[in-house]
Amino acid sequence: MRATWVFTVASLSVNARAGSALESPCPIKAVWDAPLLAGLPAVGVAIAVLGALVPARSAARMTIASALHIE
């Protein structure tokens, strides 16, 4: 693993000295699509809301004494 890292750093520095522009391949850049990036926060918010509402709903149905007893 270390030898590969040293070789990669050495090849990048040689390419930089030669004056060539360092560019990453296209598959590295095309990992996330825009609709997926827009949907991930929405799914995260939905999970957080459900995670908050389920315990709150059950706590709202019980009496104060039973809630304190469970606590």
Side-chain angles (χ1 to χ4, degrees), residues 1-68:
M1 180 76 178
R2 184 166 171 79
T4 305
W5 181 79
V6 172
F7 176 72
T8 304
V9 171
S11 66
L12 287 176
S13 62
V14 168
N15 288 339
R17 287 186 200 143
S20 64
L22 296 176
E23 294 182 14
S24 60
C26 283
I28 293 176
K29 295 178 186 176
V31 176
W32 304 102
D33 295 340
L36 180 64
L37 286 177
L40 286 176
V43 170
V45 168
I47 290 172
V49 167
L50 285 175
L53 287 180
V54 170
R57 188 173 177 199
S58 65
R61 290 184 177 177
M62 66 175 54
T63 63
I64 296 173
S66 63
L68 291 174

